[in-house]
Every structure is written in structure tokens, then in C-alpha cells.
Amino acid sequence: MNRPHDPNGTPSGGEQPVLSAALYEAGLPVDLLSDEQRLVLSELTEEELAVLLDIKSRLDAVEPEVQAHGEIAGGALF
């Protein structure tokens, strides 16, 4: 998904970087990122994207436990 870009870090032609649908499907808040951050994500290799999505999945898997502790202890422990 590598795309040419100018030295200022924006895609050539002034277009928005094209992001993998997998990023949206994983629930990553890509619409809240800066253009520069979106550009970095648009240039990920398939292997890098797989690693990012795996990490996101593992973080999501432990999220309820962390949230439960925060609710029980009022967030004092975290």
C-alpha cells in the first residue's frame, strides 16, 4: 500500500492516504488521527499491519479486566 509522497509527508496530488479497511474493522480511531499519522498507517506493509492488528486484539482481550478493576477500585490502582 505504499504511495508516493512529497517531502512534507503528504501524499502526492494532495489526496488523503488510503487506509486498510482492517484498521476500521478493528475499531482503531483512524479518523481522529492527523494526516501525518494516517500517512504512516497507509504505508504499513502487510506484515506490519498484521502485527498492529494482533496487538490491538490482545489489548482488547484484556480491556474488560482493566475496566472492571477501575470501576471496583475507583481507578485508584491504575
Side-chain angles (χ1 to χ4, degrees):
M1 216 188 265
N2 291 339
R3 308 186 83 185
H5 59 284
D6 67 27
N8 295 324
T10 57
S12 61
E15 61 205 42
Q16 289 289 324
V18 176
L19 299 175
S20 169
L23 294 170
Y24 293 96
E25 291 167 7
L28 290 165
V30 293
D31 292 331
L32 301 176
L33 301 175
S34 70
D35 288 342
E36 293 81 8
Q37 292 169 323
R38 292 171 59 86
L39 180 62
V40 169
L41 290 177
S42 75
E43 294 178 337
L44 292 177
T45 65
E46 288 185 32
E47 293 81 15
E48 291 169 329
L49 180 59
V51 169
L52 177 63
L53 294 175
D54 180 55
I55 292 169
K56 168 76 165 81
S57 172
R58 287 190 266 163
L59 289 172
D60 288 349
V62 297
E63 183 177 358
E65 181 181 337
V66 172
Q67 287 180 342
H69 285 130
E71 292 169 11
I72 293 169
L77 299 176
F78 300 98

